[in-house]
Structures are given as structure tokens and as C-alpha cells.
Amino acid sequence: MTLSNKHILIGITGGIAAYKICELIRKFKKSNADVKIVCTPNSLNFVTKLTLQNLSQNEVFVQEFDVKNWKPEHISIADWADIFLIAPASANTISKIANGISDNLLTSIACAFSKKMIIAPAMNFNMWNNEAIQKNLNRLRCRGAEILEPESGFLACGYTGKGRLCGVNKIFDSVIEALKYSSVLQGQKVIVTAGGTIEEIDPVRYISNYSSGKMGLAIANSAYNMGAEVVLITTKDCDVPYKTIKVKSALDMQKVLNEEFNNANLVVMAAAVADYRVKNYSEQKIKKSNEETLTIELVKNPDILTELCKHKVNQIVVGFCAESENLFENAKIKLEKKGCDFLVANDISRQDIGFNSDENEVIIFSKEGNVQKFDKAPKKIIAREILEWINTK
Ligand code: C5P
């Protein structure tokens, strides 16, 4: 892939792995990218400004308030960049960024940066295992940053363990990958539903299912990484950098979905919606009686997907189905019956994928008769494959 017209901003922090970034800059330049470097003052103990300047063929930024035009430097550099790679990322800088501290040019840019951020940490293995650092990394992940985990091996501090900057080739490939996908869904509104609905019986009891919401979350994350405006309608708590609406029941989900649907381009119904709800919700806790049985009457929920498809104009609607037998036949029948554009089928007879698992294997059917299988892979990968495939159809 040629990186012409791509603006890559590399943030370098104070760690011995800083020298490895020189090689990385050369690789980006060879691919025709425009590269700018921002250094923390400490990083210049490990690499010189002159080296970075010569390699990137651009001015190297270190000082704040070194203002050359009306726009503050941290804003104009953030605006310029398509992607912000921080490598090596020290424990100190990771923690500052995670907490919004902006006490040098690099951390100020990070605070003002709203596009894709990739962080490649490098540090001593005890620092890496420190609970505070792991929590801060998780905060960054939840805000959409991609963390390239360090590798295990001999560390410059003399110890052996996990903490070594991951390979330069891996960092290079991750940046290319992110740039390739970052604008695939730009300008599109994507709605994703996730999790199992909760159908209340009384104030303390409910009927639900084992859906973890992980597949829906992975699809929403992928859509966000592909540049879409995402709305995730979910029954689960999650901390993500885009709009989420938490719902409980199928009826709640339908109401919110109807409100969001009109200006949507793509709707992915990954939620496990209950087919039935309790007919008479009890305002008071149902007491144990002397009877040996208790009967709770259920009524049918609307099929949200089918109803949406009846009213769709230009929206592309994707349904999911969980099948335990005759997957091909049942999926094709369901696709037609529901009236959606695509149906993603999971085989729930398998223990190693699907419900609650971090991996999945799916077959996707289009209403035009196209079929594509995506082999077992982390849900994150499957999510991107599904969105990409749909986007090319
Ligand atoms: O019919 P089945 O439950 O297998 O269909 C699953 C698909 O239909 C999923 O996309 C799910 O979100 C959707 N669905 C729905 N409303 C229901 C039941 C399922 O939208 N009441």
C-alpha cells in the first residue's frame, strides 16, 4: 500500500526503545507517507532531534508554546495527522494520557486528538504488570485506542519478562491496517444492537438469555474504527468512545431503534431479542405460595427486525441468527421471512464459538444469494470481515 497523502504523527517518549523508531520512520517514508514527530523532552536522552528530523524530513516538535501561527501547536498538529502512533509509550505518558493530563506537547496533542491512536508500550516487566498501568491502558482501550502489547524477552533494564517494544514490522502493519480501514464507513451512520434482552417478571426477577453482547460490541467497535458514526443499543454496560443507549426489554430496544432508524445507513441486529415477554408484570415481588407450581403467562414480542425491514427506505439491515441444525436451509428461509439484506448465521451447537466466547465462526447470506463463510477467529476480526464484505456488496 502506498501511503501518499497520509499524515502519520509519531509520538516518542523516554525509553531505550526510542532508537527502534528510527527504522520505523524510514519504512513510513519509503512508503511515501508524510511523517511528523513529536517528542517528550525525556525521549531526547535516547535519540537526537537531528536524527529524527533527517529521517522524517520534517521539523521535530518538542516544546509547547513554540507558536508560529495563530493556531496553538497542539491543535494544528492534531488536525494535520490522520493517525497518532505513540511508540515507545512509557508508563508515565500512558498514565498521563489516560487521565487527561496535558503537561507537554505530546500529551497535549493526545488530549486534543479525536482520530485513531495506536499505542506501543515499552517498559520494565514489573511496571507493565503494575495494576495502575493496566487500568490506565484499559481506559485508553475503552476510548478507542489500539494497544500493541509488548513482547516478552530480554529487557534493556537487565531483566527478562514482558515489556519489550513489539516488533517494528508489527507496528508498521498495524498503522497501515488502521489507515486502510479508517475511512471505509466515513459519513455513514451505523446502528448496532447487542446483548440479550431482559424481560422483567417482577421488581427482582427477569427472563433473559446467555448472549454476552460481545459480537455486537465488536461490530460497533469495528464500524467506529472504519470511520462511521456509531450508535450502540445494548443491554450491557460498556465504556466506548461513541454513542451507546442502554436498554432492557425488547420493547425498549424497538422504541430506541425506531427513533434512531430514519437517518441510519446500516443497522446490524446482533442482539438476542426475547421472542416472548411476561404478559402481566407484577409491581410487587411475587410471593412464594403453597402451590407446587407457578405459571407465568408470556406474550409474543414484536419481531423488531421484521418490522424494521417493512419500513426501510435506503437502509441496509443485517440480522443475526443462531442455529443448532440445518444452518444453511434455516438461514436462507429466515433471511427471506425477515426481509433483511443480510443474515449472519452462527452454529450454536458448537461449544468453542458463539455465546460468551471471544471467538466466532459465521456464514453470511445476502438476499441476492451470495454466501460467505468466515473461519473461526476472534470476534474482533469476524466483525471487520462482516462489515467489509457487506460494504463491497
Ligand atoms: O428469529 P430469530 O430469533 O432467529 O432471529 C434472530 C434475529 O432477529 C436477530 O437479528 C435478532 O436481533 C432479531 N430479532 C428481533 N426481534 C425478535 C427476535 C429476534 O429483531 N423478537
Side-chain angles (χ1 to χ4, degrees), residues 369-383:
N370 297 306
V371 181
Q372 178 71 45
K373 180 173 181 225
F374 295 118
D375 290 333
K376 187 173 159 184
K379 285 182 173 168
K380 188 175 152 184
I381 307 282
I382 299 280

Side-chain angles (χ1 to χ4, degrees), residues 53-104:
Q53 209 158 278
N54 281 349
L55 290 171
S56 67
Q57 296 168 341
N58 261 322
E59 180 192 355
V60 172
F61 303 94
V62 186
Q63 295 302 332
E64 276 187 290
F65 315 115
D66 193 8
V67 184
K68 295 191 182 61
N69 60 28
W70 66 271
K71 228 181 197 184
E73 205 100 83
H74 64 287
I75 304 299
S76 55
I77 300 172
D79 286 348
W80 171 87
D82 295 315
I83 192 162
F84 188 12
L85 163 72
I86 304 180
S90 64
N92 178 43
T93 293
I94 286 168
S95 300
K96 284 198 251 180
I97 297 174
N99 292 284
I101 296 170
S102 317
D103 63 346
N104 61 38

Side-chain angles (χ1 to χ4, degrees), residues 85 108 186 217 220 224 243 317 358:
L85 163 72
S108 298
Q186 199 128 42
L217 179 63
Y224 175 77
K243 182 173 175 183
V317 180
D358 289 325

